[in-house]
Amino acid sequence: MEELEQVLRDKGLTVSSLPEKGRCLFTTRHFSPGEVIISEEPYVSVPNKSAKCEWCFAPTNLKRCSACRVVFYCGNTCQKSDWKLHRVECQALSKVDKERIKSITPSIRLMVKLYLRRKLQDEKVILTTVMDNYNLVESLVSHMTDIDEKQLVLYAQMANLVGLILQWPEINVKEIAENFSKFSCNAHTVCDAELKPLGTGLYPVVSIINHSCLPNSVLIFEGRLAVIRAVQHIPKGTEVSISYIEMAGSTATRQQALKEQYLFSCTCIRCVKLGQNDDIQESAFLEGYRCKDKECSGFLLRDFGNKGFTCQLCGLFRDKEEIKNIVNEIQSLSEKSSFSLSYGNNKDASAMYKMVEKLQLKLYHHLSINLMRMRENLLKILMELQDWKEALKYCRLTIPVYQSGLVRLRKLTDHWPRQRRYCELLMEQTPLS
């Protein structure tokens, strides 16, 4: 850990421990917006179930490993880069019968690769460095005491399968189960520039960085490389923070997501406002319903009689049954749209999504997450249809949500560069009026 501290000091960083958080990453110098704070290659990584290159996650020009028939590579360069590790993994996978090989999920493979990499580093086959060693994985928090019995049983079953694949007499199944818990809390989904999931990677140093719903940094991926960039001026002596979850949700939604996935409750300056007037108003705009009066910008709260909702600005009442009927209609149309989309009927899906939009505009505030997500889906469909003018219109409709103070930090996440790229592309295709 002392060697890691020295490497981090050279980067203007240090690790400290806080009673309520555990390990934290702090700055020892000033960082400017956009500046890289730290980057890290994965200790182990694996593509998701769809066929991709094992090393770079590319989806094209793939050739399957002729021995194990599980792993793909896009070319000789990637195959050679991964060979030291895959050589031993290939031997292990080749011994697994065809029926059992189907049950080997990306998580199982990630664990197998973790133990094989540790073994190869112990044997000096793979180089061990300060930022690339199993000791960093051992230091990760597992939250085993917070996991329910059902989840523990699942981890034990997964650990037994890893043991069967490796066939090591000295294998420690209990340790493997604990490492699965570490994966759950610390592994990251590797995404491309458009935020499409490519695979999963374990980044032990990046995992030191704690969560905030008002983060000063963002995690992006350049290939497999995890890069932490500052999204604001970060003074010396400040804790580096990123968001583990979608930040556009209400405080209650964010807290639930963090508790379920990461087993902790956030106490950032945004979350401590839970139940306060600003928080209630933000939640109502993001996830609640709008006033029935189109000219009113007020938000609704459920009335005490539970018969409907009352606008907090003009006092207008909105009946619960009216809202329920619109919600059911939206759900029905959305399901039909998804069905058309799954069969490649983009034009039909586009028409139905526009009908959904009209219904949502009757129900939701213009900054609503539901409305924004539907418009994002419609935007993607229109781009596939090469209807550039209409797509640009929807791109412009979604951008104010990213820029809004109510969902202020969405513009600082990797979603914002994606939306900006969409508009740049569309404006190249569409003459502006």
Side-chain angles (χ1 to χ4, degrees):
M1 190 58 72
E2 287 183 8
E3 291 178 331
L4 177 62
E5 276 284 359
Q6 181 57 56
V7 170
L8 292 176
R9 270 197 296 272
D10 294 341
K11 298 177 183 292
L13 301 165
T14 187
V15 176
S16 298
S17 291
L18 297 177
E20 69 277 14
K21 289 185 175 182
R23 293 187 304 165
C24 310
L25 194 67
F26 279 81
T27 60
T28 59
R29 67 171 179 85
H30 170 86
F31 283 88
S32 301
E35 189 176 354
V36 173
I37 297 172
I38 193 169
S39 60
E40 183 183 11
E41 291 284 352
Y43 185 73
V44 283
S45 64
V46 65
N48 55 21
K49 277 215 164 184
S50 55
K52 291 182 182 67
C53 175
E54 188 73 14
W55 184 256
C56 72
F57 294 168
T60 55
N61 302 319
L62 300 176
K63 291 185 179 179
R64 194 192 298 263
C65 173
S66 58
C68 70
R69 308 294 297 170
V70 173
V71 171
F72 294 85
Y73 293 103
C74 66
N76 291 334
T77 302
C78 287
Q79 187 175 22
K80 288 177 181 177
S81 299
D82 195 43
W83 178 241
K84 288 181 180 178
L85 180 57
H86 183 60
R87 179 179 60 82
V88 290
E89 184 198 19
C90 188
Q91 293 169 0
L93 293 176
S94 298
K95 295 175 183 176
V96 181
D97 63 70
K98 291 182 179 179
E99 286 304 311
R100 180 161 282 161
I101 205 82
K102 296 176 184 177
S103 64
I104 298 179
T105 62
S107 294
I108 297 292
R109 284 201 54 227
L110 194 67
M111 186 64 71
V112 169
K113 294 177 79 168
L114 178 78
Y115 278 87
L116 291 173
R117 186 173 180 83
R118 183 183 73 171
K119 183 174 185 291
L120 291 172
Q121 285 187 325
D122 288 344
E123 295 171 351
K124 314 296 184 188
V125 176
I126 291 179
L127 180 67
T128 301
T129 68
V130 175
M131 288 189 62
D132 182 7
N133 63 82
Y134 186 77
N135 291 336
L136 297 172
V137 179
E138 286 187 314
S139 300
L140 297 175
V141 177
S142 67
H143 290 289
M144 284 291 280
T145 55
D146 301 320
I147 297 170
D148 61 37
E149 187 175 347
K150 185 178 179 182
Q151 192 64 46
L152 286 172
V153 170
L154 177 61
Y155 286 157
Q157 292 171 340
M158 294 166 71
N160 279 319
L161 180 53
V162 171
L164 286 170
I165 295 170
L166 293 174
Q167 296 183 12
W168 295 349
E170 74 281 7
I171 200 77
N172 186 332
V173 174
K174 185 178 178 180
E175 181 193 80
I176 297 173
E178 185 173 353
N179 277 334
F180 272 119
S181 186
K182 289 180 180 180
F183 279 4
S184 176
C185 301
N186 295 281
H188 289 88
T189 300
V190 181
C191 300
D192 65 10
E194 305 303 331
L195 293 188
K196 294 176 183 175
L198 301 176
T200 305
L202 189 65
Y203 301 85
V205 179
V206 165
S207 292
I208 297 172
I209 300 172
N210 285 315
H211 165 84
S212 172
C213 298
L214 204 65
N216 53 28
S217 309
V218 65
L219 167 63
I220 58 175
F221 291 94
E222 298 175 3
R224 299 189 317 160
L225 184 71
V227 180
I228 304 294
R229 287 185 182 272
V231 293
Q232 62 188 56
H233 292 284
I234 305 178
K236 177 181 177 180
T238 304
E239 183 185 359
V240 179
S241 61
I242 59 174
S243 180
Y244 295 177
I245 58 168
E246 168 61 73
M247 291 182 292
S250 67
T251 302
T253 299
R254 298 194 314 273
Q255 290 282 16
Q256 182 181 358
L258 290 167
K259 194 67 177 176
E260 289 177 356
Q261 177 64 41
Y262 299 100
L263 306 173
F264 72 88
S265 297
C266 182
T267 57
C268 73
I269 58 174
R270 196 175 171 203
C271 286
V272 294
K273 294 181 179 179
L274 178 64
Q276 296 179 15
N277 187 63
D278 287 351
D279 178 69
I280 291 170
Q281 181 173 329
E282 177 178 297
S283 300
F285 281 135
L286 291 172
E287 298 177 0
Y289 306 120
R290 56 162 291 173
C291 181
K292 194 172 183 177
D293 183 353
K294 293 181 180 180
E295 302 301 319
C296 180
S297 60
F299 63 95
L300 305 187
L301 293 180
R302 192 181 295 273
D303 75 335
F304 291 112
N306 200 28
K307 294 180 180 179
F309 301 82
T310 303
C311 177
Q312 302 304 294
L313 184 61
C314 71
L316 190 65
F317 177 79
R318 193 159 194 183
D319 186 73
K320 182 171 69 174
E321 285 303 313
E322 177 202 358
I323 288 177
K324 184 179 178 181
N325 290 336
I326 297 175
V327 168
N328 289 339
E329 198 172 349
I330 288 172
Q331 185 175 352
S332 176
L333 268 173
S334 297
E335 289 172 356
K336 290 177 182 177
S337 303
S338 298
F339 183 79
S340 292
L341 199 59
S342 66
Y343 278 88
N345 299 325
N346 287 356
K347 284 189 176 180
D348 290 346
S350 171
M352 282 187 278
Y353 270 126
K354 288 180 180 179
M355 293 168 66
V356 171
E357 180 193 22
K358 287 182 180 179
L359 289 170
Q360 286 185 332
L361 287 169
K362 293 181 181 179
L363 195 61
Y364 299 125
H365 192 275
H366 74 284
L367 296 176
S368 163
I369 298 171
N370 292 316
L371 179 60
M372 182 199 65
R373 286 174 179 159
M374 185 283 305
R375 282 173 166 168
E376 284 186 330
N377 289 335
L378 188 50
L379 168 61
K380 292 174 186 176
I381 295 169
L382 291 167
M383 288 179 72
E384 289 179 9
L385 290 170
Q386 297 187 9
D387 188 345
W388 305 117
K389 187 174 182 179
E390 192 75 357
L392 180 57
K393 167 190 161 184
Y394 279 96
C395 189
R396 286 171 170 165
L397 284 172
T398 58
I399 282 179
V401 184
Y402 288 92
Q403 292 177 313
S404 165
L406 290 174
V407 284
R408 45 178 149 261
L409 279 233
R410 284 205 60 164
K411 69 178 179 180
L412 302 178
T413 68
D414 9 293
H415 291 248
W416 173 245
R418 176 188 65 179
Q419 208 68 5
R420 186 173 58 203
R421 281 194 297 273
Y422 278 169
C423 265
E424 287 170 354
L425 170 63
L426 291 167
M427 284 189 282
E428 287 174 6
Q429 300 286 343
T430 311
L432 298 179
S433 56

